[in-house]
Amino acid sequence: MSPAALARASLLALLAAAGAACDGEGSSAASRDVAGGDARAGRQAVAARDCGACHVIPGLRGPRGWVGPSLAGFGSRGYVAGVLPNTPENLIRWLQHPQEVAPRTAMPDLGIEPEEARHIAAFLYTLR
Amino acid sequence: MRAGPRRAAWPLLLLAAPLPGCAGSETQSVLEPLGPEAALLANLSWLLFAGGGLIFLVTMACAALAVWGGEAQRRTLGSRRLIVAGGIVFPVVVLTVLLLETLSLSRTLGARSPDGGEPLRIEVVGRQFWWDVRYPGASPDDAVATANEIHIPVGREVELRVSAGDVYHSLWIPSLQGKIDMVPGRVNTLRLRAGEPGVARGQCTEFCGAQHALMAFWVVAETPEDHARWLERQRLPAGEPADEFLALGRRVFGTAGCGTCHAVRGTEWDGRIGPDLTRVGGRLSLAAGALDNHRGTLGGWIAGVQDLKPGANMPSYNTVLDGPELRAVSAWLESLK
């Protein structure tokens, strides 16, 4: 192979390797699959409960509040409520019992049942 | 004459696109009447649609004949007789009939119903950007104050006496009646009646400021028994908080100064600048139809009013309340059902 061709091939190989790492996964490599969670049902639940009153939620019509953090890119976020690692288990726990996770949080306990929490979690993980 | 470039006709089909939006689950449509007055208006609307549609088709047919018709047809179309008949006699007759029909309808809609009986009088004052609703009652003790929601008994004539507190507003419940302007310093009257139980949505229809588009309200038509029960409940003052957390919420309501603007009967707070909150937890919505009603949306509203309705007269309380205080006052307001 000529030196130019070799250089070109090396450059291409390097770019391919770099490209493979750029899949937009965010900070954590943990799996964000929610067993038993239906993202569609979660989206409906989020709309029905008007979570937008406090949170900006991409793709949802209705109120866009800034009282709580925007949920854009939540699926890539490292921590839940700035306290717990962002895993399905922790997210579901946060949705159901916010005050147990962060006692001084402004987020209310809305009496969300485990099944609904799973669906909401599945939906939130689609926001990347 | 050279023919111009051919244009595609399919974009005209887009004009039909808005039609599916007419049917909705919240009844807010002139074409879905819930009472006799609205039924009269709906009939007139359909008459105009059908008549107008027919006249349009005939006119388009004449235009087509004028462009592509034979020599004899085009001469007939251009004849003086047809122009006088179609261009003067026909419109004068049709419009006169419509005018008389509409004047008679307006008189019917504004008149007291002939079957006697005292109408239920409700005072509604339009304010930026909410609806101040009061039922005067026989005495001041009987008076009920609520906001953004009007409850009426089915079958009984209702008299809405409307005015405005700041700028012009206009009250419109499409499924029940026509529009009525709300003019500062003047009381206008709208008479309506619900023919069946149901929930209708109303809107402000006179541009009144930055949040005019988020100024809706609900009309709940219920059986006379349910309505009497609702009125009775509304008259009750707020009860004592059921637990320590709710008691904290009530204290926060005081220390944050909410009582300056909002009244809660049964407490020392009787502000009249904002909506009466005595039974706010039981309403169908918050913020004039903009939000669902539970402790979550209450918190979002209180802490972030200016994000949700910039320009509203209430400030955002995120600067004043910390997390637990916000949750407590939201829970207390939610408990006022």
Side-chain angles (χ1 to χ4, degrees):
Chain A
M1 219 190 258
S2 70
L6 189 60
R8 200 159 48 228
S10 314
L11 188 61
L12 283 173
L14 200 67
L15 284 175
C22 292
D23 57 0
E25 274 298 308
S27 57
S28 160
S31 164
R32 301 260 164 92
D33 291 325
V34 182
D38 175 0
R40 211 131 183 246
R43 189 173 192 275
Q44 278 168 357
V46 165
R49 285 190 182 273
D50 251 353
C51 301
C54 288
H55 297 281
V56 170
I57 303 169
L60 233 62
R61 296 177 71 193
R64 295 169 72 81
W66 289 94
V67 168
S70 165
L71 299 180
F74 183 84
S76 304
R77 206 163 288 170
Y79 286 85
V80 172
V83 174
L84 295 176
N86 190 356
T87 64
E89 191 187 320
N90 284 339
L91 176 58
I92 289 166
R93 189 172 150 212
W94 163 253
L95 289 170
Q96 292 192 263
H97 309 289
Q99 281 86 57
E100 277 176 19
V101 173
R104 296 193 63 78
T105 182
M107 172 139 156
D109 183 346
L110 287 174
I112 297 176
E113 297 292 317
E115 188 187 343
E116 189 182 356
R118 284 199 296 276
H119 296 324
I120 294 177
F123 166 67
L124 290 176
Y125 283 136
T126 66
L127 304 174
R128 290 189 171 274
Chain B
M1 189 169 67
R2 260 184 48 196
R6 302 208 95 209
R7 298 253 172 97
W10 63 262
L12 289 175
L13 291 175
L14 293 177
L15 288 173
L19 286 180
C22 293
S25 55
E26 303 164 341
T27 310
Q28 185 183 283
S29 170
V30 174
L31 303 177
E32 288 180 52
L34 289 179
E37 292 84 8
L40 289 172
L41 288 169
N43 288 342
L44 181 62
S45 299
W46 282 118
L47 177 67
L48 291 173
F49 282 142
L54 200 61
I55 294 171
F56 174 73
L57 288 173
V58 168
T59 312
M60 288 299 107
C62 289
L65 275 180
V67 173
W68 295 300
E71 190 63 40
Q73 288 165 328
R74 294 201 344 241
R75 209 175 319 126
T76 317
L77 270 181
S79 71
R80 184 196 175 79
R81 185 149 46 107
L82 208 62
I83 288 175
V84 168
I88 300 177
V89 175
F90 178 68
V92 167
V93 167
V94 168
L95 291 177
T96 305
V97 167
L98 274 178
L99 175 68
L100 295 173
E101 164 94 16
T102 308
L103 287 176
S104 142
L105 179 61
S106 301
R107 200 148 40 106
T108 310
L109 290 178
R112 287 289 313 276
S113 106
D115 64 2
E118 266 305 291
L120 175 64
R121 287 196 174 83
I122 307 173
E123 294 167 2
V124 185
V125 178
R127 302 184 189 278
Q128 288 169 319
F129 301 97
W130 58 282
W131 307 85
D132 190 346
V133 179
R134 286 170 200 273
Y135 294 70
S139 70
D141 286 334
D142 275 348
V144 163
T146 183
N148 303 324
E149 202 161 295
I150 305 175
H151 286 238
I152 60 178
V154 168
R156 183 172 168 198
E157 188 184 358
V158 172
E159 200 174 273
L160 295 181
R161 300 175 67 76
V162 308
S163 184
D166 33 48
V167 299
Y168 273 69
H169 297 271
S170 184
L171 185 147
W172 190 29
I173 314 157
S175 294
L176 284 176
Q177 248 284 24
K179 303 178 182 181
I180 185 87
D181 275 356
M182 303 166 104
V183 179
R186 184 192 159 83
V187 177
N188 286 334
T189 305
L190 186 73
R191 292 192 183 87
L192 57 88
R193 185 197 307 255
E196 56 191 85
V199 178
R201 190 173 185 271
Q203 286 255 176
C204 179
T205 45
E206 183 70 33
F207 181 73
C208 55
Q211 297 306 323
H212 163 73
L214 288 181
M215 188 170 159
F217 62 100
W218 297 100
V219 177
V220 178
E222 43 200 3
T223 64
E225 299 77 41
D226 284 341
H227 182 257
R229 244 196 307 270
W230 178 82
L231 264 185
E232 212 26 70
R233 179 132 196 105
Q234 295 296 310
R235 284 191 190 106
L236 292 177
E240 286 302 304
D243 61 42
E244 202 29 62
F245 189 55
L246 296 179
L248 168 65
R250 190 167 114 159
R251 281 198 301 278
V252 168
F253 189 89
T255 54
C258 311
T260 319
C261 294
H262 295 284
V264 180
R265 268 173 302 110
T267 68
E268 75 247 43
W269 302 303
D270 60 356
R272 286 185 65 138
I273 299 172
D276 185 297
L277 298 180
T278 312
R279 298 259 152 232
V280 63
R283 293 183 197 153
L284 291 174
S285 72
L286 290 180
L291 295 171
D292 276 359
N293 187 0
H294 54 74
R295 60 180 59 186
T297 47
L298 278 162
W301 171 253
I302 293 166
V305 182
Q306 294 298 321
D307 299 323
L308 299 172
K309 273 196 175 183
N313 289 324
M314 174 169 163
S316 292
Y317 277 82
N318 62 301
T319 54
V320 171
L321 302 174
D322 67 19
E325 287 170 337
L326 178 67
R327 281 188 285 110
V329 73
S330 304
W332 179 63
L333 290 170
E334 188 193 47
S335 74
L336 300 178
K337 291 198 197 283

